[in-house]
Amino acid sequence: MSPFLTALIASGVILIIILSTDLGTRQITNMRLLRSIIAIAIVIALFVRTLPLNGNDPWLQLAGIGAGVACGLIAATLLPAHRASDGDVYTRGGIAYAIVWTLMSASRVLFAYGSEHWFAQDVIVFSIENKLSGQDVYSNAFVFMALAMVLTRTAVLLVKRRRLGGARVATTDGFVDA
């Protein structure tokens, strides 16, 4: 599968899942967090066919992960959390949060499209000069970036929930904070 198609499908799926679970005021539940982890597992299974380790391939893939972590941290700052009167922790995702996720998804797709149609020769020269093995390493870097962004967002949500004391456990007497 081409880097463009990989970026388009993976970014689109992840964007839909994230925005549908994070926009508006939403409770941080285990299921909400688990949905993201399941999406990551599916995306990896569908789109990561090989793990190129020749030349500088690992570095490009790690750069994708690093960029994803940085973008995930930026997005997470735009997802404030609060503890409600019912004791549960909620986040409030607004337009700025949606814009960051949409811009990052669109950027991956646009670069992947450009690498095939607008500046394909430049990517080939860059790959040769930097000892990159080809299309799979770029596809992986895009997928790993998206996945790192999701995992970072999930980790930040867990930290926010823990700091605000939102993990609650059902007991026979009602709910208690864990």
Side-chain angles (χ1 to χ4, degrees):
M1 185 177 305
S2 74
F4 168 68
L5 197 52
T6 298
L8 179 65
I9 295 170
S11 293
V13 166
I14 290 169
L15 180 65
I16 289 167
I17 290 169
I18 292 297
L19 294 183
S20 68
T21 60
D22 288 352
L23 289 183
T25 301
R26 304 289 178 124
Q27 182 181 359
I28 302 176
T29 63
N30 291 335
M31 191 59 205
R32 176 178 169 193
L33 301 175
L34 186 59
R35 262 192 302 267
S36 301
I37 303 300
I38 292 169
I40 289 169
I42 291 170
V43 167
I44 288 173
L46 291 176
F47 297 110
V48 177
R49 296 286 180 210
T50 65
L51 187 61
L53 298 173
N54 299 321
N56 289 318
D57 292 350
W59 295 112
L60 184 64
Q61 293 168 111
L62 286 172
I65 291 168
V69 168
C71 293
L73 290 171
I74 291 167
T77 64
L78 300 171
L79 194 61
H82 66 280
R83 186 173 180 152
S85 58
D86 64 3
D88 292 327
V89 177
Y90 293 83
T91 59
R92 189 175 6 263
I95 190 73
Y97 182 78
I99 288 171
V100 167
W101 277 94
T102 303
L103 283 176
M104 290 314 304
S105 297
S107 296
R108 282 189 297 273
V109 171
L110 189 61
F111 181 84
Y113 182 84
S115 71
E116 289 181 18
H117 299 356
W118 300 327
F119 44 86
Q121 189 62 36
D122 295 327
V123 171
I124 292 169
V125 170
F126 179 84
S127 297
I128 292 168
E129 289 175 354
N130 292 284
K131 297 180 176 93
L132 297 169
S133 63
Q135 170 171 315
D136 283 349
V137 72
Y138 289 99
S139 294
N140 284 1
F142 291 135
V143 170
F144 294 162
M145 180 184 177
L147 302 180
M149 196 170 169
V150 172
L151 285 174
T152 300
R153 165 254 186 207
T154 303
V156 170
L157 288 178
L158 282 168
V159 169
K160 287 180 179 186
R161 183 172 75 177
R162 176 165 283 158
R163 283 189 180 156
L164 293 170
R168 295 169 51 93
V169 178
T171 67
T172 56
D173 297 329
F175 287 95
V176 297
D177 295 330

